[in-house]
C-alpha cells in the first residue's frame, strides 16, 4: 500500500481537490477529520457533474412530476457545492492493515473499486490502488528450489491441478520426465485445453510442455 497518502479535510475547496487529482495523477483523495479519522472520499466521478464546466445534470421530467425536491436539492449541492463535504462519498469501502492481497483484490473486484483506503481502527494509514497490485505482480519472482522437485512430485502436483480444472481429467494422460511434461488426451473446448497448459506452466519444476491434446469431435446433427 501507499502510506504517503494525499488527503483533504471536509472544508477543502473543490477546486483545490481537482488540482490535486490532476497534478498528482491520482483518481481519488480520502477526506479525514482533524484527528485523522476517515470521513469520506472524493473521486474523479464525484467531480464529473459540475456547474463550472457545464456538466451538471439537466432537470428530469419525472422529478418535476414527482416533485422530488429532496433529490433535486442533493444534486444541487453536489454540482454547486464548494467544499469537500458537499461532494464526497461518505460511505467508504475500506481495508485493514492485516488484509492479504487476495482479499483486497476480491473486495476491489466485487465492489468495482479502483482503490481502497487502509485503516487502523478508524484512522487512515494508507491506500491500496489497482496500480499497487500491478507493482506487486511486477516485483514477483518465482521461488528458487534448494531441492528441485522430482518427476513424481511434479506429476502428482500437475494431475491435482488438472483434476481441479476439468471433469474430463480421466481422459487426460500426463507423464513427466526430467521436468518435461507430456500431456495427451481429449478435451471438450479450446479454453479447457488452454487452462490445462496454464496449469502445467504454473506447476513448480516443469521446464517444458509437449501438448498432444485434441478437441472432442461434436456432432452437427
Amino acid at each position: 500500500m501507499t502510506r504517503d497518502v494525499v488527503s483533504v479535510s471536509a472544508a477543502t475547496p473543490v477546486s483545490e481537490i481537482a488540482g490535486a487529482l490532476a497534478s498528482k495523477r491520482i483518481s481519488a483523495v480520502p477526506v479525514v477529520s482533524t484527528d485523522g479519522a476517515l470521513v469520506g472520499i472524493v473521486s474523479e466521478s464525484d467531480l464529473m457533474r459540475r456547474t463550472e464546466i457545464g456538466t451538471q445534470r439537466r432537470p428530469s421530467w419525472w422529478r418535476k412530476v414527482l416533485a422530488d425536491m429532496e433529490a433535486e436539492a442533493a444534486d444541487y449541492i453536489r454540482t454547486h457545492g464548494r467544499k469537500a463535504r458537499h461532494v464526497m462519498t461518505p460511505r467508504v469501502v475500506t481495508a485493514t492493515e492485516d488484509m492479504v492481497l487476495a482479499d483486497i483484490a476480491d473486495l476491489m473486484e466485487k465492489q468495482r473499486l479502483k482503490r481502497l483506503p487502509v485503516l487502523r481502527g478508524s484512522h487512515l494509514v494508507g491506500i491500496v490502488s489497482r496500480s499497487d497490485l500491478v507493482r506487486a505482480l511486477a516485483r514477483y519472482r518465482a521461488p528458487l528450489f534448494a531441492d528441485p522437485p522430482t518427476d513424481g512430485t511434479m506429476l502428482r502436483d500437475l494431475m491435482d491441478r488438472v483434476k481441479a480444472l476439468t471433469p474430463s481429467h480421466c481422459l487426460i494422460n500426463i507423464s513427466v520426465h526430467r521436468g518435461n511434461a507430456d500431456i495427451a488426451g481429449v478435451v471438450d473446448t479450446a479454453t479447457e485445453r488452454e487452462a490445462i497448459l496454464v496449469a502445467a506452466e504454473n506447476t513448480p519444476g516443469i521446464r517444458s510442455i509437449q501438448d498432444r491434446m485434441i478437441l472432442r469431435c461434436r456432432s452437427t446433427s
Side-chain angles (χ1 to χ4, degrees):
M1 72 176 179
T2 301
R3 292 187 178 275
D4 186 17
V5 183
V6 177
S7 62
V8 299
S9 73
T12 301
V14 167
S15 59
E16 187 176 318
I17 295 172
L21 295 181
S23 64
K24 301 291 184 180
R25 296 184 179 182
I26 54 179
S27 60
V29 288
V31 183
V32 297
S33 63
T34 54
D35 63 352
L38 182 70
V39 296
I41 195 167
V42 179
S43 69
E44 293 170 326
S45 61
D46 293 317
L47 303 180
M48 285 180 58
R49 300 287 189 174
R50 293 292 302 178
T51 185
E52 296 95 330
I53 54 176
T55 56
Q56 71 272 25
R57 288 186 178 86
R58 298 178 179 88
S60 57
W61 66 267
W62 63 268
R63 282 186 176 178
K64 292 179 180 178
V65 172
L66 299 176
D68 192 351
M69 297 306 297
E70 183 72 17
E72 289 286 355
D75 194 50
Y76 182 85
I77 291 171
R78 292 188 68 82
T79 57
H80 291 71
R82 301 295 184 88
K83 307 294 184 184
R85 67 175 181 272
H86 297 135
V87 298
M88 72 180 188
T89 300
R91 295 183 182 87
V92 186
V93 180
T94 62
T96 59
E97 287 182 295
D98 58 351
M99 286 181 68
V100 297
L101 283 181
D103 291 338
I104 290 175
D106 287 343
L107 186 56
M108 292 176 73
E109 183 178 50
K110 182 179 179 180
Q111 298 291 335
R112 297 182 180 180
L113 299 171
K114 293 182 179 180
R115 88 294 300 167
L116 280 177
V118 181
L119 302 185
R120 182 184 299 151
S122 62
H123 288 71
L124 180 72
V125 294
I127 195 165
V128 176
S129 66
R130 291 179 182 178
S131 60
D132 290 321
L133 299 183
V134 173
R135 281 192 289 271
L137 175 61
R139 291 193 299 267
Y140 174 79
R141 297 292 182 272
L144 299 176
F145 300 106
D147 297 308
T150 64
D151 287 342
T153 298
M154 287 183 276
L155 177 60
R156 287 189 295 272
D157 188 354
L158 178 51
M159 290 181 66
D160 287 342
R161 292 169 187 259
V162 172
K163 286 180 181 179
L165 277 173
T166 172
S168 303
H169 61 82
C170 56
L171 301 177
I172 304 297
N173 182 64
I174 303 173
S175 63
V176 178
H177 179 64
R178 295 183 178 179
N180 304 303
D182 183 285
I183 308 174
V186 180
V187 294
D188 287 322
T189 66
T191 302
E192 183 181 10
R193 177 184 192 168
E194 191 65 24
I196 292 171
L197 293 176
V198 169
E201 290 174 350
N202 280 273
T203 301
I206 296 292
R207 297 188 301 169
S208 68
I209 304 166
Q210 178 68 32
D211 173 19
R212 296 192 295 116
M213 291 178 283
I214 60 174
L215 293 178
R216 187 194 304 272
C217 293
R218 295 201 176 266
S219 174
T220 57
S221 59

